[in-house]
Amino acid sequence: MNNSKKIVLVGHFGVGKSSLIRRFVHNAFSNDYKVTIGVQILKKEITIEGKNLTFIIWDIEGKEDIEQIRPSYLLGTSGFIYVIDPTRSSTYVNLNNEIEYIKTNFIEASIVSVANKSDLIDINEFEQELKQNNLSIHFFSSAKTGENVEFIFEKLGIDLLK
Ligand code: GDP
């Protein structure tokens, strides 16, 4: 049996949403910064615990506030990846509210939060900072080095197949 699930990456401009998708789908990275306008949809099939899963991955324009995203972009989403940039606090000061908004409005969806660009920070120090601000993040990733990228999509996939 083949399962198709819609995944949306959300978060501010420039946090690395497109780069994470490019790393996951094409195993590539570029330093060029191209702003996503509107939406790009990519497909990737993986096998998890013997089951096929097709991710339909929506790369949408970055927005400071999830409520600004066009509702049709989020319709039917099974899994959210909320991406922050640990080098820019403006991308995570409002994290708890953003996650709460998703949980309230997409009751059935799975959500993971990801601090990308882990190659640029000291993870222990950043975790301390999060703790002091009552914030928490599920995973760290680097689209640049590839660290954790596949792992995060797989974790989300396992959740979606439950
Ligand atoms: P988006 O607007 O959220 O889709 O962000 P992009 O994927 O376009 O990335 C914004 C910028 O951050 C680009 O210049 C990327 O090369 C850079 N970038 C993305 N991911 C990483 C990462 O893991 N490490 C580093 N050092 N730079 C990254």
Side-chain angles (χ1 to χ4, degrees):
M1 196 177 82
N2 195 3
N3 285 296
S4 274
K5 300 282 184 189
K6 175 176 171 181
I7 304 290
V8 183
L9 278 80
V10 285
H12 290 208
F13 289 107
V15 294
K17 298 181 294 299
S18 300
S19 302
L20 284 167
I21 295 169
R22 195 176 310 145
R23 170 61 73 192
F24 179 59
V25 175
H26 304 299
N27 197 21
F29 178 78
S30 145
N31 281 311
D32 288 348
Y33 183 49
K34 286 201 197 90
V35 174
T36 308
I37 297 170
V39 59
Q40 273 191 61
I41 302 170
L42 286 98
K43 219 168 131 174
K44 167 118 174 174
E45 201 177 315
I46 63 165
T47 305
I48 298 174
E49 293 162 357
K51 292 181 195 146
N52 288 333
L53 173 62
T54 303
F55 285 119
I56 312 293
I57 308 168
W58 287 50
D59 183 10
I60 60 180
E61 267 173 61
K63 293 281 184 210
E64 322 257 291
D65 178 349
I66 193 161
E67 290 185 56
Q68 292 168 3
I69 297 173
R70 203 179 286 204
S72 61
Y73 286 173
L74 303 182
L75 206 69
T77 302
S78 298
F80 286 89
I81 302 182
Y82 195 96
V83 187
I84 67 154
D85 177 345
T87 70
R88 281 188 297 143
S89 62
S90 60
T91 69
Y92 56 86
V93 280
N94 210 20
L95 179 68
N96 288 346
N97 290 336
E98 295 276 276
I99 299 284
E100 210 40 54
Y101 179 86
I102 298 173
K103 284 187 178 159
T104 309
N105 290 280
F106 300 88
I107 298 166
E108 309 267 299
S110 301
I111 311 164
V112 295
S113 52
V114 175
N116 187 44
K117 308 195 186 181
S118 62
D119 56 292
L120 298 178
I121 56 151
D122 178 323
I123 291 182
N124 288 332
E125 255 173 41
F126 186 67
E127 277 184 322
Q128 287 303 317
E129 187 199 320
L130 287 176
K131 219 169 159 187
Q132 280 160 12
N133 292 293
N134 270 323
L135 297 168
S136 68
I137 280 286
H138 292 117
F139 303 110
F140 286 85
S141 70
S142 169
K144 186 169 185 172
T145 66
E147 188 173 358
N148 259 354
V149 177
E150 211 158 314
F151 175 80
I152 290 165
F153 278 92
E154 269 176 30
K155 280 279 185 201
L156 187 58
I158 290 170
D159 226 37
L160 296 181
L161 288 174
K162 272 183 197 157

